[in-house]
Amino acid sequence: MARQYGIRDAAVHGYDQFERLRDDPAVQAVYIALPNAMHRGFTERAAAIGKHVLTEKPMATSSEDCTAMITACARADVRLMVAYRCQYEQVNRAAIRAAQGGALGKPRFFQAANLQANGPGPQWRYSRALAGGGALPDIGLYCLNAARYLSNEEPVEVVAQAYSPPNDERFREVEESMSFTLRFPSGLLAQAQSSYGAFQEKSLRLHGERGSLMIEDAFAYKGQRLHLFRRDGEVGSEQVPQLHSRNQFALEIDHMARCVRESRQPHTPGEEGLRDQQDHGGDHARGAERSPASDRAPPGGNPDARPLA
């Protein structure tokens, strides 16, 4: 692969040679796309050699690990960003502007589903030690994060229920499916489903007092489409904004590069990953009360006040 992309031999390292990156000034940042339980260790190792970190979601498998990653990067004065690609994708960002700009009125209900039919094991996603959980932290996290970034609020109550087929060896350690409900300070109720055992669905809806929105393929790698619904008296209308499609992976990586060059805080810093970990929890507790939104900063910040470009 290195030869395919013209990477010089001296810049190719194995994981057992990770610390050799310290001596390569051309490498300013690392992208950690390892199994979830390994994110903390490699983030701390990267910070220790002065490299900025872009880590995949979920950020880690516990709040303790998330906090340790934030502390390590702050101590080393390097940027830490979590790869929440949907927060950089153009259709999702247009939905954020619609939801937070008042076009829909006060948000009342949110629904999302991130479903897929996973393949056979063994694979690390079926290991609690490596993944920290099943469908919830892997793909349900998209639904949780979307509810937070569309509402710009933090949930104060989380209720969840899990299910796994009793005779499926893949799900001896992690859940196959998870359904959860979030309650927000404004009264917004969010419901979401995630599953490794259902026909693919990656949509979301937000219903407000004066309108609603829907995103087709909201969490997919491409194909997002935004629908805005409004009613003026007895007349209803639907708008489908025509947005220029851009590669969401390129958008998040370009943002990380700008943050490194300009010493800026990323739009999705380590604190964003920590908040998601606190909300979904490693124990999948039911009816767990969470800290009030006033105790925590808004998710991702205001999309207009904090431009990504």
Side-chain angles (χ1 to χ4, degrees):
M1 183 178 290
R3 286 192 294 272
Q4 178 182 350
Y5 289 96
I7 306 299
R8 55 193 173 86
D9 290 343
V12 179
H13 307 287
Y15 286 110
D16 58 340
Q17 304 167 326
F18 189 82
E19 276 66 29
R20 286 174 54 182
L21 293 173
R22 184 198 309 268
D23 303 320
D24 191 344
V27 177
Q28 296 176 269
V30 298
Y31 172 43
I32 299 174
L34 294 164
N36 307 335
M38 302 176 71
H39 292 181
R40 173 181 175 174
F42 275 90
T43 294
E44 291 176 328
R45 290 171 68 179
I49 59 174
K51 304 301 180 183
H52 305 281
V53 176
L54 172 62
T55 184
E56 263 302 334
K57 41 59 55 192
M59 182 178 174
T61 58
S62 71
S63 296
E64 178 185 359
D65 283 357
C66 293
T67 301
M69 294 162 70
I70 294 169
T71 300
C73 290
R75 184 180 296 122
D77 193 26
V78 297
R79 307 286 81 75
L80 172 61
M81 173 174 154
V82 184
Y84 285 107
R85 56 181 172 79
C86 292
Q87 291 207 42
Y88 301 90
E89 190 275 321
Q90 299 301 293
V91 170
N92 276 271
R93 294 205 58 80
I96 293 172
R97 291 191 292 272
Q100 297 183 16
L104 310 179
K106 181 180 178 181
R108 299 302 307 275
F109 297 99
F110 169 94
Q111 291 107 25
N114 202 353
L115 316 174
Q116 63 191 43
N118 269 29
Q123 57 171 287
W124 67 264
R125 284 183 172 84
Y126 301 144
S127 165
R128 178 166 292 278
L130 290 175
L136 175 61
D138 183 16
I139 56 178
L141 192 68
Y142 288 94
C143 305
L144 167 61
N145 196 248
R148 293 178 53 243
Y149 64 67
L150 285 174
S151 68
N152 203 32
E153 292 187 272
E154 297 294 347
V156 293
E157 187 177 10
V158 182
V159 181
Q161 188 169 22
Y163 173 78
S164 296
N167 298 318
D168 194 326
E169 288 296 312
R170 294 175 299 172
F171 305 113
R172 291 183 59 189
E173 298 182 16
V174 301
E175 78 284 352
E176 180 216 58
S177 301
M178 180 72 73
S179 178
F180 58 92
T181 299
L182 310 171
R183 181 172 61 84
F184 291 83
S186 66
L188 172 67
L189 296 175
Q191 296 178 315
Q193 294 79 42
S194 59
S195 179
Y196 281 159
F199 184 75
Q200 181 164 300
E201 177 66 41
K202 297 182 179 296
S203 63
L204 69 78
R205 291 176 179 265
L206 180 67
H207 302 274
E209 291 177 329
R210 298 195 303 272
S212 63
L213 65 79
M214 176 183 72
I215 305 180
E216 299 177 50
D217 290 322
F219 313 122
Y221 294 150
K222 59 183 180 179
Q224 286 78 9
R225 188 174 175 86
L226 175 63
H227 300 256
L228 296 171
F229 304 94
R230 296 288 303 277
R231 180 169 293 278
D232 184 4
E234 297 299 317
V235 180
S237 66
E238 177 183 356
Q239 293 178 301
V240 183
Q242 300 302 306
L243 301 170
H244 176 61
S245 177
R246 299 176 64 186
N247 185 299
Q248 55 193 274
F249 292 96
L251 289 169
E252 71 174 0
I253 292 172
D254 286 349
H255 176 73
M256 176 65 177
R258 285 192 293 272
C259 290
V260 169
R261 289 198 305 267
E262 301 169 11
S263 297
R264 291 168 50 186
Q265 175 83 329
H267 177 68
T268 52
E271 289 78 5
E272 178 80 340
L274 172 60
R275 284 190 286 267
D276 273 345
Q277 179 66 36
Q278 290 171 333
D279 288 333
H280 77 69
D283 55 0
H284 301 164
R286 298 184 60 188
E289 289 291 339
R290 303 302 182 195
S291 57
S294 59
D295 290 347
R296 296 190 243 167
N302 185 306
D304 296 316
R306 300 180 60 188
L308 300 184

